[in-house]
Each structure stands twice: as C-alpha cells, then as structure tokens.
Amino acid sequence: MKAYSLDLREKIIDAHIMEGVSVRKVAKQFRVATSFVETLLKRLRETGDIRPKPHGGGPQPKLKTEQIALVKTLVEADNDATLAELCDQLAAATSIRVSRSTMGRVVKALGFTRKKKSGSPILYRLENNQATLKTLRQ
C-alpha cells in the first residue's frame, strides 16, 4: 500500500490540533484508520516530523549475480531439465539450496520458457502406425 500524502497528513494534524476535533472524528472525516491518526500524532510529538518513513526494503535475494549466471549456463547446457533438477544441479555446484518456485522465478527472469519439448501425441501415433504398417507389408 502506498503511503498517505504529506498534504493529507498536514490536514489531519490541523483538524485535530487547530480545530480540536477528536481522533475518531478526524479518522472518519478523512477516511483513514484511527490507529493511523494516533500513530501520526505520536510521531509528531516524538520527532516533530510527519513525513512517511522510507520503505523498509524486503528480504535479500537468495541468489547473487554469480549464481544467476550459473543458472543460465545450467539451463543452456540442459534445456530439458525440470525446475527440481535445476535446483539439484545448483545445490551440487554451489551448496545453495533454493525452492522450485524460486528457481522458476529466476528462469523466468532470465527469459527462458517452461515449454521444453514440442511434439504432438497424434503425430507420434501416426508415425508409429506407419512404421507398423511398413513392417506388416513386408
């Protein structure tokens, strides 16, 4: 969710402090949670600042650029390998274990597709039938 704008935060502070409106009424008036108004007032008292805090980031990626390059070479070397097999190959090469879903995201980010072998079962059956017909005719 995106942070509330500085303009809205200033209006909330003005409504509560200057006009003396209660926290609940301010929250209802501006359609925000009462906990947000309380947190905003607490931050104003403690730091004197009402700007939103920067985004905290997120979890660090498990694979570094070197390992991602290794995944690329593994896929290019064996492009019919499943995601589980790629996970095993990566673990054998680097001792870093990743899940199938992580490997799927990495492979997708590298631009590889999931479809491995093309071919139609109908064509396969026709080829086998033609081979059978040839052996029967002889």
Side-chain angles (χ1 to χ4, degrees), residues 92-106:
T94 63
S95 73
I96 295 175
R97 193 88 179 128
V98 294
S99 66
R100 275 189 358 220
S101 56
T102 299
M103 184 60 73
R105 286 190 295 271
V106 170

Side-chain angles (χ1 to χ4, degrees), residues 47-94:
T47 65
D49 190 23
I50 60 170
R51 288 179 295 172
K53 292 181 179 177
H55 187 269
Q60 293 295 319
K62 196 159 189 180
L63 297 179
K64 307 282 189 260
T65 54
E66 301 87 33
Q67 287 95 14
I68 292 174
L70 178 61
V71 170
K72 184 175 182 180
T73 58
L74 290 173
V75 172
E76 288 171 347
D78 184 14
N79 63 357
D80 281 336
T82 63
L83 294 176
E85 291 169 346
L86 288 173
C87 291
D88 293 338
Q89 292 173 10
L90 181 68
T94 63

Side-chain angles (χ1 to χ4, degrees), residues 8-24:
L8 177 65
R9 291 166 181 260
E10 289 170 352
K11 287 179 184 177
I12 290 171
I13 296 297
D14 288 342
H16 179 70
I17 294 175
M18 302 298 186
E19 298 173 17
V21 182
S22 72
V23 171
R24 287 185 183 176

Side-chain angles (χ1 to χ4, degrees), residues 36 38 51 82 96 104 118 124 127 137:
F36 170 73
E38 291 167 349
R51 288 179 295 172
T82 63
I96 295 175
S118 61
Y124 178 74
E127 289 171 359
R137 288 183 187 155

